[in-house]
Amino acid sequence: MKRRDFMLSGLGGLGGIAAAATIAHTAGANTPSRAPAAPRLAISWLGGATMLIKFDDFTILTDPTFGEGKEAYFMPDPNAMFDLKTGPTPRFHARNTPFPGVDVSSIDLMMLSHLHEDHFDQKAEATIPKTLSTILPPADADKLGTKGFTNQIPLDWGVSKTIATDNGKISIRAIPAHHSANPQVSAMLGKGNGYWLRFESGNWKKDVYWTGDTFATEEVLASIRRIGQPDILIPHMGAVGATGPLGLISMGAKEVLELAGLLGNPNVLPIHHSTFPLYLEPASHLIAQADVAHDRIDLIAEGSTIEYI
């Protein structure tokens, strides 16, 4: 099986977060001046790995999956047994829940951890404006280009970008993402991204680590240690692949709690669970294994929003 052919689209220190480029944010430039509101970070979970992250009138969409019903998206099934030489047969996958909906005209930036179809599905591809600014792994740039998306910002591991907002800034750094703890399987699935996002306004600051599909390998941990400890950890869960020949290709509750402990036990906002049958382990496993004395789990329902102030 050739590298990156397993999934149809493939996977593609802020203590040195020097901005290699700046994305100007001009929304509200012509509105009357007013005292800035108290800084806050609002994160809405729309199912899967899809989030709306809002800060200072700037809105980020992550890993969009808009499909619904029994044929929500088309992709090989890593949970099924298959011959590693040929890979799994693509099929339609269901969605368990209705898609909460999103106004794509309100999005300022799209961020992709990788291009597997449970992270960027066919309906999202057909719906999202092709000119939308998009941060993504360099390994997926050509593939996204063939889909007609023209405003790409490839971000390799360790590279940072800064977004100027009305009253502050957002710094984004690409973090290594290893789709398996097995290096051979990870290489087969391709090179994806996690992201460290720092939101700042005056003396107010929040650090968020969105893992992407990864495990806490030494390379991942070394990259994070160069930055510090996050306030919020957003892990991809679901224990995908547990029943297939590749083994785990996304974290389960055990791996998430171990990672949180290594990162100083930040708030954990779990995503990439429950939405699709593809995700084998429910979020209830995380709650059952958490130690309420120190594990801070922010478990929210699809379509819900949590604010950090």
Side-chain angles (χ1 to χ4, degrees), residues 45 47-51 62-65 113 118-119 210 213 236 271-273 275-276 279:
W45 180 47
T50 307
M51 297 179 286
T62 71
D63 283 5
T65 49
S113 65
D118 64 314
H119 294 260
W210 168 36
D213 280 6
H236 289 190
I271 62 172
H272 198 272
H273 63 80
T275 307
F276 307 115
Y279 304 154

Side-chain angles (χ1 to χ4, degrees), residues 211-242:
T211 68
D213 280 6
T214 196
F215 290 81
T217 66
E218 281 304 313
E219 184 175 17
V220 170
L221 292 174
S223 181
I224 295 168
R225 287 173 183 138
R226 285 192 286 269
I227 303 171
Q229 294 181 339
D231 300 297
I232 305 157
L233 169 66
I234 305 180
H236 289 190
M237 295 187 56
V240 178

Side-chain angles (χ1 to χ4, degrees), residues 136-185:
L136 77 166
D140 285 326
D142 288 345
K143 188 71 172 183
L144 193 66
T146 65
K147 297 177 182 294
F149 287 82
T150 58
N151 195 359
Q152 297 185 31
I153 308 167
L155 210 61
D156 207 354
W157 296 349
V159 179
S160 303
K161 302 290 183 187
T162 293
I163 300 164
T165 65
D166 290 340
N167 301 293
K169 63 181 179 179
I170 306 169
S171 303
I172 301 172
R173 184 183 184 92
I175 302 294
H178 294 154
H179 215 311
S180 170
N182 181 324
Q184 290 181 318
V185 173

Side-chain angles (χ1 to χ4, degrees), residues 28-266:
N30 297 318
T31 58
S33 61
R34 61 186 184 278
R40 64 184 60 227
L41 174 66
I43 302 176
S44 302
W45 180 47
L46 304 183
T50 307
M51 297 179 286
L52 286 178
I53 302 175
K54 297 183 180 181
F55 171 73
D56 199 21
D57 294 327
F58 193 90
T59 301
I60 300 170
L61 172 69
T62 71
D63 283 5
T65 49
F66 296 170
E68 298 180 277
K70 294 181 179 180
E71 298 184 351
Y73 62 97
F74 191 72
M75 188 186 82
D77 186 355
N79 296 324
M81 294 304 297
F82 58 88
D83 186 340
L84 287 172
K85 294 180 181 179
T86 58
T89 301
R91 67 171 183 85
F92 282 104
H93 291 256
R95 182 174 179 132
N96 294 324
T97 55
F99 175 56
V102 62
D103 176 8
V104 295
S105 68
S106 70
I107 308 303
D108 297 295
L109 174 71
M110 179 166 63
M111 293 180 63
L112 302 176
S113 65
H114 60 293
L115 280 181
H116 287 167
E117 284 76 9
D118 64 314
H119 294 260
F120 186 71
D121 69 9
Q122 288 83 7
K123 186 170 182 180
E125 177 186 336
T127 303
I128 293 170
K130 299 296 190 290
T131 56
L132 180 63
S133 297
T134 301
I135 289 177
L136 77 166
D140 285 326
D142 288 345
K143 188 71 172 183
L144 193 66
T146 65
K147 297 177 182 294
F149 287 82
T150 58
N151 195 359
Q152 297 185 31
I153 308 167
L155 210 61
D156 207 354
W157 296 349
V159 179
S160 303
K161 302 290 183 187
T162 293
I163 300 164
T165 65
D166 290 340
N167 301 293
K169 63 181 179 179
I170 306 169
S171 303
I172 301 172
R173 184 183 184 92
I175 302 294
H178 294 154
H179 215 311
S180 170
N182 181 324
Q184 290 181 318
V185 173
S186 186
M188 183 187 303
L189 295 175
K191 188 176 178 179
N193 280 358
Y195 296 98
W196 190 285
L197 300 97
R198 177 170 290 173
F199 302 87
E200 297 180 83
S201 181
N203 294 326
W204 185 96
K205 174 175 70 71
K206 290 291 180 187
D207 280 351
V208 177
Y209 171 37
W210 168 36
T211 68
D213 280 6
T214 196
F215 290 81
T217 66
E218 281 304 313
E219 184 175 17
V220 170
L221 292 174
S223 181
I224 295 168
R225 287 173 183 138
R226 285 192 286 269
I227 303 171
Q229 294 181 339
D231 300 297
I232 305 157
L233 169 66
I234 305 180
H236 289 190
M237 295 187 56
V240 178
T243 56
L246 298 176
L248 284 181
I249 58 173
S250 72
M251 290 186 286
K254 175 178 178 289
E255 290 79 17
V256 167
L257 291 172
E258 287 175 352
L259 175 59
L262 292 169
L263 299 181
N265 295 306

